[in-house]
């Protein structure tokens, strides 16, 4: 059996109370740190370290005890699977350090909604300072929080390859944008200026029947239904229901 790690003399071992404290952070610094973090250990670590690193500098303990390397797994949407965008995994985890889950869910949802609709990357490193690829990078709108969709929509928009240096550079810049947006939302939340504004009308329309408490209640979530269920026309739901019943 592995030996328990020994605490240095004088360190207290009571766990810090949760959630951890927060002070206003600098979104511009988060951008630069997110970008640099991507260079060290990819998107998920980059976004996480951009937020936790500033809190570590400004507050110290308990953030000095957060090993940000644990978010390394989130790169490529989690162990190489292309599920949730890794920058969102890191950012959502950072958000959850600073507030109870009931609040964190609202802020995370707002971040994911922003990610779906935002044309990025916006961040542009200084000339000569790019990680993998100099110059402007094609912007795209993912309409999804999934790594798979985000990357492939960008490949389509740019005509470039998913394993290219340009794609990696694009994701480094997306990490910078996500880190800055996260800090912006955290600053708003912790100064009582946060307001959830994200809405997806297609999802609302579908959930009238498929969502919680409604006649079918056979799905959950807020991802854009239309993006995958392309055979359902949200403007002709009567036809959808007719067709669906014909299938039975
Ligand atoms: C007014 C109610 C209603 C609304 C609104 C509605 N559906 Fe359905 N949907 C149904 C019914 C009824 C069925 C068939 C029942 C079953 O398969 O259990 C169905 C079946 C489905 C199915 C499985 C069969 C198929 O066609 O592939 C999918 C997927 C689906 N709906 C997606 C959607 C999406 C996406 C939206 C929004 C754009 C939507 N539905 C809106 C009632 C609705
Ligand atoms: C990322 C892609 C994706 C998104 C986004 C998505 N779905 Fe699905 N959905 C699937 C897949 C894949 C299945 C399982 C395969 C199938 O039955 O089509 C499925 C299954 C379903 C089914 C059961 C289908 C059946 O055969 O009876 C319903 C109903 C459904 N989805 C509704 C929705 C609604 C409503 C939304 C929006 C809130 C949504 N889906 C968003 C991919 C997606």
């Amino acid at each position: 059996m592995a030996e328990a790690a020994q605490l240095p003399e004088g360190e207290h071992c009571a766990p810090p109370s949760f959630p951890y404290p927060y002070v206003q952070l600098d979104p511009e610094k988060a951008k630069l740190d997110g970008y640099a973090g991507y260079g060290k250990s990819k998107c998920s670590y980059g976004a996480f370290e951009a937020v936790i690193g500033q809190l570590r500098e400004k507050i110290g303990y308990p953030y000095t005890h957060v090993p940000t390397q644990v978010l390394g797994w989130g790169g490529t949407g989690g162990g190489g699977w292309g599920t949730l965008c890794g920058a969102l995994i890191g950012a959502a985890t950072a958000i959850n350090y600073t507030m109870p889950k009931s609040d964190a869910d609202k802020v995370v949802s707002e971040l994911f909604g922003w990610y779906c609709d935002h044309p990025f990357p916006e961040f542009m490193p200084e000339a000569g300072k790019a990680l993998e690829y100099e110059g402007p990078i094609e912007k795209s709108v993912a309409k999804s929080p999934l790594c798979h969709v985000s990357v492939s929509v960008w490949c389509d928009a740019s005509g470039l390859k998913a394993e290219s240096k340009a794609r990696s550079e694009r994701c480094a810049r997306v990490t910078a944008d996500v880190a800055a947006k996260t800090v912006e939302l955290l600053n708003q939340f912790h100064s009582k200026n946060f307001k959830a504004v994200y809405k997806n009308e297609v999802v609302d329309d579908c959930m009238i029947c498929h969502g919680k408490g409604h006649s079918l209640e056979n799905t959950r979530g807020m991802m854009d239904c239309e993006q995958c269920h392309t055979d359902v026309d949200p403007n002709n739901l009567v036809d959808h229901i007719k067709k669906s019943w014909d299938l039975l």
Side-chain angles (χ1 to χ4, degrees), residues 1-77:
M1 203 172 82
E3 267 183 55
Q6 293 293 309
L7 274 172
E9 192 116 5
E11 289 270 326
H12 50 101
C13 58
S17 63
F18 195 84
Y20 289 7
Y22 186 81
V23 291
Q24 297 285 297
L25 302 180
D26 176 1
E28 285 306 312
K29 178 163 166 45
K31 238 179 233 180
L32 296 171
D33 291 352
Y35 186 70
Y38 182 95
K40 252 171 108 181
S41 194
K42 304 299 171 200
C43 53
S44 190
Y45 166 83
F48 189 54
E49 172 60 24
V51 180
I52 299 294
Q54 271 199 64
L55 290 167
R56 193 192 306 122
E57 272 171 31
K58 293 194 166 179
I59 297 175
Y61 177 84
Y63 289 104
T64 43
H65 289 232
V66 178
T68 47
Q69 310 88 298
V70 295
L71 264 290
W73 76 274
T76 322

Side-chain angles (χ1 to χ4, degrees), residues 201-210 215-216 218-219 224-235 237-238 240-248:
E201 275 162 17
V202 171
V203 170
D204 291 349
D205 285 352
C206 306
M207 291 312 227
I208 289 172
C209 297
H210 291 285
S215 53
L216 297 166
N218 59 352
T219 197
D224 195 79
C225 319
E226 244 188 314
Q227 192 172 43
C228 299
H229 296 290
T230 49
D231 55 339
V232 186
D233 177 3
N235 297 316
L237 289 171
V238 175
H240 162 61
I241 299 161
K242 270 203 209 127
K243 261 202 238 153
S244 299
W245 284 113
D246 287 348
L247 288 174
L248 296 177

